[in-house]
Amino acid sequence: MTQAVGTTESVRAPGQFTLSYPRTWWTLDLDAQTRDAAIRRKIEAQAPGDDVDRELLDALIRATRKTAREAHAQGALQVAGMIQFTESGAVLSATALVMRVTPPEDSSTDLAELLIPVALKNADNPMGRGTRANRVEMVELPEVGAVGRATSIEDIDYWGRGTVRTATMHTVVPVPHSRDFLVISCLTPNLSLVDAFFDLFDAISGTLRFLP
């Protein structure tokens, strides 16, 4: 999917980016006038007939709407997600948000320096310590180069009725010829499948391409 980066600081900075998702994922509608209905249609289309728990389905719709509202309020460029109902009745879900961030003029744009506070925060987080779910590192993305990567397990309030323990992966990508960064934030509450989801999140981030 092609999306405008939104960078205006330099004429040499790329004006768009592309990011590819699996076919089972959808891109959420961020338009306030149409998103609620669009989200309901997308989630109900994934439900396995009339056997799905209606209360569960409504909770997923509320959570997804909340994600879309908050993403829009924060200036997200793109939001995508997936929901899959298994034969056992379990639900697999994940969300990806793309944000553009510009550091303050008086702050460093050195990626390694920007990751230091994140690393210190992770060091104080006992959840996932010593695993892939508690790391801060530099990684290489094809055709993009060196980027920052932070993973953690956090308690996130999805629908205003209590928190859900969630695995997160944030990939911080410098936008060429600018002070901006694209932040690709992927998350899932399916902790028992965290390694598989992290592989998927890494693959999605690896499809990033900047366009003129």
Side-chain angles (χ1 to χ4, degrees), residues 2-140:
T2 302
Q3 184 77 34
V5 173
T7 300
T8 59
E9 287 188 328
S10 171
V11 295
R12 296 177 299 163
Q16 295 181 312
F17 70 89
T18 64
L19 198 64
S20 299
Y21 300 96
R23 291 184 178 181
T24 53
W25 285 52
W26 64 77
T27 302
L28 297 182
D29 184 354
L30 296 180
D31 188 322
Q33 295 183 343
T34 59
R35 68 184 172 216
D36 283 1
I39 287 170
R40 176 174 289 278
R41 287 196 303 271
K42 291 176 185 297
I43 292 179
E44 288 184 339
Q46 300 296 314
D50 298 327
D51 295 334
V52 67
D53 186 315
R54 188 71 236 181
E55 184 175 349
L56 171 61
L57 195 63
D58 288 341
L60 290 169
I61 291 170
R62 287 196 301 272
T64 307
R65 285 174 173 173
K66 182 174 184 288
T67 297
R69 286 196 303 271
E70 292 180 350
H72 182 265
Q74 295 170 11
L77 301 177
Q78 190 179 103
V79 180
M82 58 81 66
I83 292 177
Q84 179 180 338
F85 296 85
T86 68
E87 293 182 358
S88 65
V91 178
L92 304 180
S93 65
T95 306
L97 298 87
V98 183
M99 305 284 294
R100 179 179 63 87
V101 177
T102 304
E105 286 294 334
D106 59 350
S107 67
S108 171
T109 57
D110 182 272
L111 191 52
E113 289 185 27
L114 294 175
L115 291 176
I116 291 176
V118 182
L120 293 175
K121 180 181 178 181
N122 263 22
D124 291 332
N125 183 0
M127 294 185 289
R129 184 170 293 167
T131 72
R132 290 181 67 191
N134 191 302
R135 292 183 183 174
V136 177
E137 57 190 339
M138 300 291 292
V139 299
E140 292 282 329

